[in-house]
Amino acid sequence: MTRIDDKFAELNAAGKKAFVAYVMAGDPDFDRSLEVVKGLPSAGVDIIELGLPFTDPMADGTTIQLAAQRALGAGQTLQKTLDLAAEFRKQDTTTPIVLMGYYNPIYNRGVDTFLVDAKAAGVDGLIVVDLPPEEDDELCIPAQNAGMNFIRLATPTTDDKRLPKVLQNTSGFVYYVSINGITGAAEAQASDVAPEVARIKAKTDIPVIVGFGINTPEKSKAIAQVADGTVVGSAIVAQIAEGKPTSEILAFVKSLADGAHSA
């Protein structure tokens, strides 16, 4: 059992849906990023997705691309992202942290070294968007052997033939991408998402969390009503980009979390 498994068991026992928040590590700089991340649990965040800055984030829209550029420009690295997670762990030993990003920085560090360091920093799961199931031996299987969840994306184009392959070694939760395209590109519609979530849940007991295109408390609630929870990223990152005070950012996050938790 990982912290992610424990969190879903806790939420399930309470009859609540999950709220997952994504922020880019090191955006706009290390200290400010850490301040925001430290405040997320008290704002109602159940699981933290920490973006791993990368120069070519192909699945991300402009908002998150610019966040990666700001973070990299401020000197954020893979090591500093692990340092940020470790700093967070000094005050919070229960909220799960998922690193979300691309394989190149992990490959450059070396998979074995990365997994040891990530585990030591308190990372609980990985979402690596450019590693398909056919490459599971590369990182997915070693990560699970190291005690970390490997979370896979399913999309509107993941048909019934492909779905079993996607689910094969997925653990923690399935991240359903509610729209075709990049992050922040369109709004999710619960009426479109509901049958897709049901189709995935018919094939797995793992929780299905929906992300992409969720940017208001009302949308967060509507999507959580048809899934096991919601993920919000671009809308939060946009608040950071605007330079809003941490207190305002966290108040916005709390409104989104309240939406999901009221579903």
Side-chain angles (χ1 to χ4, degrees), residues 27-70:
D27 173 34
D29 55 55
F30 184 93
D31 290 343
R32 182 82 194 287
S33 180
L34 179 60
E35 183 180 60
V36 171
V37 171
K38 281 183 172 180
L40 293 176
S42 60
V45 173
D46 298 303
I47 299 172
I48 297 169
E49 276 184 21
L50 206 51
L52 193 56
F54 183 51
T55 52
D56 187 22
M58 60 188 179
D60 294 305
T62 303
T63 300
I64 290 177
Q65 285 184 18
L66 290 174
Q69 289 179 17
R70 287 192 298 271

mmCIF file of all heavy atoms in Angstrom, residues 27-70:
data_model
loop_
_atom_site.group_PDB
_atom_site.id
_atom_site.type_symbol
_atom_site.label_atom_id
_atom_site.label_comp_id
_atom_site.label_asym_id
_atom_site.label_seq_id
_atom_site.Cartn_x
_atom_site.Cartn_y
_atom_site.Cartn_z
ATOM 1 N N ASP A 27 8.123 27.003 -10.130
ATOM 2 C CA ASP A 27 7.465 28.128 -10.802
ATOM 3 C C ASP A 27 6.830 29.051 -9.765
ATOM 4 O O ASP A 27 5.988 28.594 -8.983
ATOM 5 C CB ASP A 27 6.389 27.603 -11.749
ATOM 6 C CG ASP A 27 5.538 28.709 -12.367
ATOM 7 O OD1 ASP A 27 6.085 29.795 -12.620
ATOM 8 O OD2 ASP A 27 4.329 28.475 -12.597
ATOM 9 N N PRO A 28 7.175 30.325 -9.739
ATOM 10 C CA PRO A 28 8.130 31.026 -10.603
ATOM 11 C C PRO A 28 9.582 30.886 -10.134
ATOM 12 O O PRO A 28 10.496 31.216 -10.858
ATOM 13 C CB PRO A 28 7.677 32.483 -10.501
ATOM 14 C CG PRO A 28 7.128 32.580 -9.105
ATOM 15 C CD PRO A 28 6.471 31.246 -8.840
ATOM 16 N N ASP A 29 9.758 30.401 -8.883
ATOM 17 C CA ASP A 29 11.090 30.111 -8.358
ATOM 18 C C ASP A 29 10.920 29.081 -7.252
ATOM 19 O O ASP A 29 9.794 28.747 -6.861
ATOM 20 C CB ASP A 29 11.791 31.383 -7.841
ATOM 21 C CG ASP A 29 10.972 32.129 -6.797
ATOM 22 O OD1 ASP A 29 10.589 31.495 -5.784
ATOM 23 O OD2 ASP A 29 10.714 33.334 -6.975
ATOM 24 N N PHE A 30 12.007 28.557 -6.751
ATOM 25 C CA PHE A 30 11.940 27.460 -5.784
ATOM 26 C C PHE A 30 11.171 27.838 -4.526
ATOM 27 O O PHE A 30 10.259 27.120 -4.091
ATOM 28 C CB PHE A 30 13.365 27.020 -5.410
ATOM 29 C CG PHE A 30 13.399 25.825 -4.490
ATOM 30 C CD1 PHE A 30 13.511 24.535 -5.003
ATOM 31 C CD2 PHE A 30 13.333 25.978 -3.106
ATOM 32 C CE1 PHE A 30 13.542 23.428 -4.152
ATOM 33 C CE2 PHE A 30 13.354 24.880 -2.259
ATOM 34 C CZ PHE A 30 13.462 23.601 -2.792
ATOM 35 N N ASP A 31 11.502 28.972 -3.941
ATOM 36 C CA ASP A 31 10.899 29.336 -2.649
ATOM 37 C C ASP A 31 9.403 29.581 -2.758
ATOM 38 O O ASP A 31 8.623 29.134 -1.905
ATOM 39 C CB ASP A 31 11.597 30.584 -2.080
ATOM 40 C CG ASP A 31 13.020 30.289 -1.627
ATOM 41 O OD1 ASP A 31 13.352 29.101 -1.443
ATOM 42 O OD2 ASP A 31 13.810 31.249 -1.488
ATOM 43 N N ARG A 32 8.999 30.300 -3.797
ATOM 44 C CA ARG A 32 7.563 30.572 -3.971
ATOM 45 C C ARG A 32 6.803 29.282 -4.267
ATOM 46 O O ARG A 32 5.690 29.061 -3.767
ATOM 47 C CB ARG A 32 7.384 31.576 -5.117
ATOM 48 C CG ARG A 32 5.927 31.958 -5.360
ATOM 49 C CD ARG A 32 5.472 33.048 -4.396
ATOM 50 N NE ARG A 32 4.019 33.181 -4.400
ATOM 51 C CZ ARG A 32 3.313 33.728 -5.388
ATOM 52 N NH1 ARG A 32 3.915 34.202 -6.453
ATOM 53 N NH2 ARG A 32 2.007 33.823 -5.304
ATOM 54 N N SER A 33 7.396 28.448 -5.089
ATOM 55 C CA SER A 33 6.775 27.172 -5.422
ATOM 56 C C SER A 33 6.591 26.319 -4.175
ATOM 57 O O SER A 33 5.521 25.744 -3.944
ATOM 58 C CB SER A 33 7.625 26.433 -6.460
ATOM 59 O OG SER A 33 7.059 25.199 -6.811
ATOM 60 N N LEU A 34 7.613 26.250 -3.350
ATOM 61 C CA LEU A 34 7.533 25.471 -2.111
ATOM 62 C C LEU A 34 6.451 26.024 -1.197
ATOM 63 O O LEU A 34 5.705 25.259 -0.565
ATOM 64 C CB LEU A 34 8.891 25.462 -1.405
ATOM 65 C CG LEU A 34 8.954 24.708 -0.069
ATOM 66 C CD1 LEU A 34 8.587 23.242 -0.256
ATOM 67 C CD2 LEU A 34 10.348 24.849 0.549
ATOM 68 N N GLU A 35 6.340 27.353 -1.128
ATOM 69 C CA GLU A 35 5.322 27.984 -0.296
ATOM 70 C C GLU A 35 3.913 27.560 -0.728
ATOM 71 O O GLU A 35 3.060 27.221 0.100
ATOM 72 C CB GLU A 35 5.463 29.503 -0.396
ATOM 73 C CG GLU A 35 4.495 30.278 0.475
ATOM 74 C CD GLU A 35 4.688 31.782 0.334
ATOM 75 O OE1 GLU A 35 4.545 32.319 -0.796
ATOM 76 O OE2 GLU A 35 5.003 32.423 1.338
ATOM 77 N N VAL A 36 3.688 27.555 -2.043
ATOM 78 C CA VAL A 36 2.376 27.141 -2.561
ATOM 79 C C VAL A 36 2.128 25.665 -2.269
ATOM 80 O O VAL A 36 1.058 25.284 -1.763
ATOM 81 C CB VAL A 36 2.273 27.422 -4.083
ATOM 82 C CG1 VAL A 36 1.001 26.792 -4.658
ATOM 83 C CG2 VAL A 36 2.287 28.917 -4.359
ATOM 84 N N VAL A 37 3.115 24.824 -2.567
ATOM 85 C CA VAL A 37 2.956 23.385 -2.372
ATOM 86 C C VAL A 37 2.677 23.063 -0.902
ATOM 87 O O VAL A 37 1.810 22.241 -0.587
ATOM 88 C CB VAL A 37 4.201 22.622 -2.880
ATOM 89 C CG1 VAL A 37 4.145 21.147 -2.485
ATOM 90 C CG2 VAL A 37 4.309 22.750 -4.399
ATOM 91 N N LYS A 38 3.383 23.720 -0.002
ATOM 92 C CA LYS A 38 3.159 23.480 1.428
ATOM 93 C C LYS A 38 1.732 23.831 1.849
ATOM 94 O O LYS A 38 1.194 23.249 2.795
ATOM 95 C CB LYS A 38 4.152 24.301 2.261
ATOM 96 C CG LYS A 38 5.547 23.697 2.340
ATOM 97 C CD LYS A 38 6.439 24.530 3.244
ATOM 98 C CE LYS A 38 7.774 23.857 3.511
ATOM 99 N NZ LYS A 38 8.646 24.668 4.407
ATOM 100 N N GLY A 39 1.120 24.788 1.156
ATOM 101 C CA GLY A 39 -0.231 25.211 1.524
ATOM 102 C C GLY A 39 -1.343 24.381 0.904
ATOM 103 O O GLY A 39 -2.508 24.529 1.290
ATOM 104 N N LEU A 40 -1.011 23.500 -0.032
ATOM 105 C CA LEU A 40 -2.051 22.769 -0.750
ATOM 106 C C LEU A 40 -2.880 21.835 0.141
ATOM 107 O O LEU A 40 -4.113 21.818 0.012
ATOM 108 C CB LEU A 40 -1.441 21.997 -1.927
ATOM 109 C CG LEU A 40 -0.869 22.858 -3.073
ATOM 110 C CD1 LEU A 40 -0.204 21.966 -4.118
ATOM 111 C CD2 LEU A 40 -1.957 23.716 -3.719
ATOM 112 N N PRO A 41 -2.278 21.052 1.042
ATOM 113 C CA PRO A 41 -3.117 20.153 1.844
ATOM 114 C C PRO A 41 -4.172 20.883 2.675
ATOM 115 O O PRO A 41 -5.327 20.442 2.746
ATOM 116 C CB PRO A 41 -2.102 19.431 2.734
ATOM 117 C CG PRO A 41 -0.829 19.444 1.938
ATOM 118 C CD PRO A 41 -0.837 20.788 1.268
ATOM 119 N N SER A 42 -3.804 22.008 3.269
ATOM 120 C CA SER A 42 -4.777 22.738 4.086
ATOM 121 C C SER A 42 -5.843 23.411 3.225
ATOM 122 O O SER A 42 -6.893 23.818 3.738
ATOM 123 C CB SER A 42 -4.073 23.784 4.959
ATOM 124 O OG SER A 42 -3.383 24.725 4.166
ATOM 125 N N ALA A 43 -5.579 23.519 1.909
ATOM 126 C CA ALA A 43 -6.585 24.047 0.984
ATOM 127 C C ALA A 43 -7.490 22.938 0.457
ATOM 128 O O ALA A 43 -8.334 23.181 -0.412
ATOM 129 C CB ALA A 43 -5.900 24.762 -0.183
ATOM 130 N N GLY A 44 -7.310 21.725 0.974
ATOM 131 C CA GLY A 44 -8.206 20.636 0.609
ATOM 132 C C GLY A 44 -7.676 19.683 -0.448
ATOM 133 O O GLY A 44 -8.405 18.814 -0.923
ATOM 134 N N VAL A 45 -6.412 19.838 -0.825
ATOM 135 C CA VAL A 45 -5.841 18.981 -1.867
ATOM 136 C C VAL A 45 -5.526 17.598 -1.292
ATOM 137 O O VAL A 45 -4.857 17.487 -0.263
ATOM 138 C CB VAL A 45 -4.570 19.629 -2.466
ATOM 139 C CG1 VAL A 45 -3.871 18.678 -3.423
ATOM 140 C CG2 VAL A 45 -4.930 20.933 -3.160
ATOM 141 N N ASP A 46 -6.009 16.565 -1.965
ATOM 142 C CA ASP A 46 -5.803 15.191 -1.506
ATOM 143 C C ASP A 46 -4.510 14.593 -2.053
ATOM 144 O O ASP A 46 -3.848 13.818 -1.373
ATOM 145 C CB ASP A 46 -6.980 14.320 -1.932
ATOM 146 C CG ASP A 46 -8.287 14.782 -1.306
ATOM 147 O OD1 ASP A 46 -8.353 14.853 -0.059
ATOM 148 O OD2 ASP A 46 -9.229 15.096 -2.060
ATOM 149 N N ILE A 47 -4.173 14.930 -3.283
ATOM 150 C CA ILE A 47 -2.957 14.437 -3.931
ATOM 151 C C ILE A 47 -2.322 15.600 -4.685
ATOM 152 O O ILE A 47 -3.018 16.351 -5.379
ATOM 153 C CB ILE A 47 -3.264 13.281 -4.911
ATOM 154 C CG1 ILE A 47 -3.884 12.093 -4.163
ATOM 155 C CG2 ILE A 47 -2.009 12.848 -5.666
ATOM 156 C CD1 ILE A 47 -4.392 10.984 -5.070
ATOM 157 N N ILE A 48 -1.010 15.731 -4.539
ATOM 158 C CA ILE A 48 -0.282 16.802 -5.232
ATOM 159 C C ILE A 48 0.430 16.229 -6.445
ATOM 160 O O ILE A 48 1.172 15.250 -6.332
ATOM 161 C CB ILE A 48 0.747 17.456 -4.292
ATOM 162 C CG1 ILE A 48 0.055 18.131 -3.114
ATOM 163 C CG2 ILE A 48 1.612 18.461 -5.053
ATOM 164 C CD1 ILE A 48 1.004 18.565 -2.005
ATOM 165 N N GLU A 49 0.163 16.826 -7.606
ATOM 166 C CA GLU A 49 0.937 16.511 -8.809
ATOM 167 C C GLU A 49 1.971 17.606 -8.977
ATOM 168 O O GLU A 49 1.633 18.786 -9.104
ATOM 169 C CB GLU A 49 0.039 16.456 -10.042
ATOM 170 C CG GLU A 49 -0.648 15.142 -10.261
ATOM 171 C CD GLU A 49 -1.445 15.111 -11.553
ATOM 172 O OE1 GLU A 49 -1.169 15.925 -12.459
ATOM 173 O OE2 GLU A 49 -2.354 14.278 -11.657
ATOM 174 N N LEU A 50 3.222 17.194 -8.972
ATOM 175 C CA LEU A 50 4.332 18.138 -9.091
ATOM 176 C C LEU A 50 4.918 18.012 -10.486
ATOM 177 O O LEU A 50 5.458 16.965 -10.847
ATOM 178 C CB LEU A 50 5.371 17.795 -8.021
ATOM 179 C CG LEU A 50 6.302 18.865 -7.478
ATOM 180 C CD1 LEU A 50 5.537 20.108 -7.033
ATOM 181 C CD2 LEU A 50 7.125 18.297 -6.329
ATOM 182 N N GLY A 51 4.772 19.064 -11.268
ATOM 183 C CA GLY A 51 5.288 19.053 -12.630
ATOM 184 C C GLY A 51 6.805 19.087 -12.650
ATOM 185 O O GLY A 51 7.425 19.838 -11.907
ATOM 186 N N LEU A 52 7.381 18.266 -13.502
ATOM 187 C CA LEU A 52 8.828 18.209 -13.671
ATOM 188 C C LEU A 52 9.178 19.068 -14.877
ATOM 189 O O LEU A 52 8.846 18.710 -16.003
ATOM 190 C CB LEU A 52 9.245 16.754 -13.901
ATOM 191 C CG LEU A 52 10.703 16.357 -13.821
ATOM 192 C CD1 LEU A 52 11.313 16.744 -12.487
ATOM 193 C CD2 LEU A 52 10.825 14.846 -14.039
ATOM 194 N N PRO A 53 9.823 20.229 -14.663
ATOM 195 C CA PRO A 53 10.074 21.137 -15.784
ATOM 196 C C PRO A 53 10.893 20.473 -16.888
ATOM 197 O O PRO A 53 11.866 19.766 -16.614
ATOM 198 C CB PRO A 53 10.870 22.285 -15.148
ATOM 199 C CG PRO A 53 10.566 22.217 -13.697
ATOM 200 C CD PRO A 53 10.342 20.769 -13.399
ATOM 201 N N PHE A 54 10.472 20.701 -18.125
ATOM 202 C CA PHE A 54 11.136 20.107 -19.277
ATOM 203 C C PHE A 54 11.054 21.092 -20.435
ATOM 204 O O PHE A 54 10.088 21.847 -20.549
ATOM 205 C CB PHE A 54 10.459 18.773 -19.634
ATOM 206 C CG PHE A 54 11.107 18.030 -20.768
ATOM 207 C CD1 PHE A 54 12.470 17.779 -20.772
ATOM 208 C CD2 PHE A 54 10.339 17.565 -21.834
ATOM 209 C CE1 PHE A 54 13.058 17.085 -21.823
ATOM 210 C CE2 PHE A 54 10.909 16.860 -22.876
ATOM 211 C CZ PHE A 54 12.280 16.622 -22.873
ATOM 212 N N THR A 55 12.041 21.066 -21.288
ATOM 213 C CA THR A 55 12.132 22.047 -22.379
ATOM 214 C C THR A 55 11.140 21.791 -23.507
ATOM 215 O O THR A 55 10.845 22.693 -24.283
ATOM 216 C CB THR A 55 13.552 22.047 -22.978
ATOM 217 O OG1 THR A 55 13.901 20.693 -23.318
ATOM 218 C CG2 THR A 55 14.566 22.604 -21.991
ATOM 219 N N ASP A 56 10.608 20.569 -23.608
ATOM 220 C CA ASP A 56 9.712 20.248 -24.720
ATOM 221 C C ASP A 56 8.478 19.497 -24.220
ATOM 222 O O ASP A 56 8.285 18.324 -24.528
ATOM 223 C CB ASP A 56 10.470 19.398 -25.758
ATOM 224 C CG ASP A 56 9.657 19.165 -27.028
ATOM 225 O OD1 ASP A 56 8.736 19.956 -27.304
ATOM 226 O OD2 ASP A 56 9.930 18.166 -27.733
ATOM 227 N N PRO A 57 7.627 20.182 -23.434
ATOM 228 C CA PRO A 57 6.455 19.512 -22.845
ATOM 229 C C PRO A 57 5.317 19.368 -23.854
ATOM 230 O O PRO A 57 4.370 20.137 -23.883
ATOM 231 C CB PRO A 57 6.081 20.440 -21.689
ATOM 232 C CG PRO A 57 6.525 21.792 -22.151
ATOM 233 C CD PRO A 57 7.727 21.578 -23.029
ATOM 234 N N MET A 58 5.387 18.331 -24.677
ATOM 235 C CA MET A 58 4.528 18.225 -25.866
ATOM 236 C C MET A 58 3.047 18.018 -25.547
ATOM 237 O O MET A 58 2.194 18.315 -26.376
ATOM 238 C CB MET A 58 5.027 17.091 -26.754
ATOM 239 C CG MET A 58 5.021 15.736 -26.088
ATOM 240 S SD MET A 58 5.831 14.509 -27.108
ATOM 241 C CE MET A 58 5.670 13.057 -26.048
ATOM 242 N N ALA A 59 2.708 17.515 -24.360
ATOM 243 C CA ALA A 59 1.296 17.288 -24.027
ATOM 244 C C ALA A 59 0.654 18.511 -23.395
ATOM 245 O O ALA A 59 -0.534 18.492 -23.101
ATOM 246 C CB ALA A 59 1.167 16.095 -23.089
ATOM 247 N N ASP A 60 1.448 19.555 -23.181
ATOM 248 C CA ASP A 60 0.967 20.705 -22.419
ATOM 249 C C ASP A 60 0.686 21.909 -23.294
ATOM 250 O O ASP A 60 1.363 22.154 -24.294
ATOM 251 C CB ASP A 60 1.987 21.070 -21.342
ATOM 252 C CG ASP A 60 2.105 19.982 -20.285
ATOM 253 O OD1 ASP A 60 1.060 19.630 -19.721
ATOM 254 O OD2 ASP A 60 3.213 19.480 -20.060
ATOM 255 N N GLY A 61 -0.314 22.670 -22.872
ATOM 256 C CA GLY A 61 -0.648 23.902 -23.552
ATOM 257 C C GLY A 61 0.239 25.052 -23.099
ATOM 258 O O GLY A 61 1.155 24.883 -22.297
ATOM 259 N N THR A 62 -0.084 26.232 -23.591
ATOM 260 C CA THR A 62 0.763 27.402 -23.366
ATOM 261 C C THR A 62 0.972 27.699 -21.883
ATOM 262 O O THR A 62 2.083 28.014 -21.453
ATOM 263 C CB THR A 62 0.145 28.632 -24.054
ATOM 264 O OG1 THR A 62 -0.022 28.347 -25.445
ATOM 265 C CG2 THR A 62 1.034 29.845 -23.895
ATOM 266 N N THR A 63 -0.076 27.584 -21.085
ATOM 267 C CA THR A 63 0.020 27.938 -19.665
ATOM 268 C C THR A 63 1.101 27.127 -18.965
ATOM 269 O O THR A 63 1.946 27.673 -18.242
ATOM 270 C CB THR A 63 -1.337 27.732 -18.968
ATOM 271 O OG1 THR A 63 -2.311 28.570 -19.597
ATOM 272 C CG2 THR A 63 -1.253 28.081 -17.494
ATOM 273 N N ILE A 64 1.094 25.823 -19.169
ATOM 274 C CA ILE A 64 2.068 24.966 -18.488
ATOM 275 C C ILE A 64 3.427 25.013 -19.185
ATOM 276 O O ILE A 64 4.469 24.918 -18.525
ATOM 277 C CB ILE A 64 1.505 23.539 -18.326
ATOM 278 C CG1 ILE A 64 0.365 23.597 -17.290
ATOM 279 C CG2 ILE A 64 2.578 22.552 -17.884
ATOM 280 C CD1 ILE A 64 -0.365 22.308 -17.050
ATOM 281 N N GLN A 65 3.440 25.208 -20.489
ATOM 282 C CA GLN A 65 4.722 25.403 -21.186
ATOM 283 C C GLN A 65 5.463 26.614 -20.617
ATOM 284 O O GLN A 65 6.672 26.556 -20.351
ATOM 285 C CB GLN A 65 4.491 25.601 -22.684
ATOM 286 C CG GLN A 65 4.140 24.334 -23.433
ATOM 287 C CD GLN A 65 4.024 24.574 -24.927
ATOM 288 O OE1 GLN A 65 4.505 25.567 -25.449
ATOM 289 N NE2 GLN A 65 3.372 23.651 -25.613
ATOM 290 N N LEU A 66 4.729 27.705 -20.428
ATOM 291 C CA LEU A 66 5.353 28.924 -19.893
ATOM 292 C C LEU A 66 5.792 28.724 -18.445
ATOM 293 O O LEU A 66 6.821 29.258 -18.027
ATOM 294 C CB LEU A 66 4.382 30.098 -20.008
ATOM 295 C CG LEU A 66 4.105 30.588 -21.431
ATOM 296 C CD1 LEU A 66 3.006 31.651 -21.429
ATOM 297 C CD2 LEU A 66 5.379 31.155 -22.071
ATOM 298 N N ALA A 67 5.020 27.937 -17.688
ATOM 299 C CA ALA A 67 5.413 27.640 -16.313
ATOM 300 C C ALA A 67 6.737 26.882 -16.290
ATOM 301 O O ALA A 67 7.611 27.148 -15.459
ATOM 302 C CB ALA A 67 4.322 26.829 -15.616
ATOM 303 N N ALA A 68 6.886 25.928 -17.207
ATOM 304 C CA ALA A 68 8.141 25.176 -17.305
ATOM 305 C C ALA A 68 9.295 26.099 -17.662
ATOM 306 O O ALA A 68 10.397 25.986 -17.099
ATOM 307 C CB ALA A 68 7.999 24.058 -18.337
ATOM 308 N N GLN A 69 9.050 27.023 -18.565
ATOM 309 C CA GLN A 69 10.094 27.979 -18.955
ATOM 310 C C GLN A 69 10.491 28.866 -17.783
ATOM 311 O O GLN A 69 11.683 29.130 -17.563
ATOM 312 C CB GLN A 69 9.619 28.832 -20.139
ATOM 313 C CG GLN A 69 9.523 28.065 -21.446
ATOM 314 C CD GLN A 69 9.022 28.929 -22.589
ATOM 315 O OE1 GLN A 69 9.037 30.164 -22.525
ATOM 316 N NE2 GLN A 69 8.557 28.282 -23.647
ATOM 317 N N ARG A 70 9.503 29.324 -17.015
ATOM 318 C CA ARG A 70 9.814 30.162 -15.849
ATOM 319 C C ARG A 70 10.650 29.379 -14.841
ATOM 320 O O ARG A 70 11.631 29.886 -14.285
ATOM 321 C CB ARG A 70 8.526 30.653 -15.181
ATOM 322 C CG ARG A 70 7.782 31.720 -15.951
ATOM 323 C CD ARG A 70 6.682 32.364 -15.107
ATOM 324 N NE ARG A 70 5.651 31.407 -14.687
ATOM 325 C CZ ARG A 70 4.564 31.112 -15.383
ATOM 326 N NH1 ARG A 70 4.356 31.689 -16.564
ATOM 327 N NH2 ARG A 70 3.673 30.256 -14.921
#
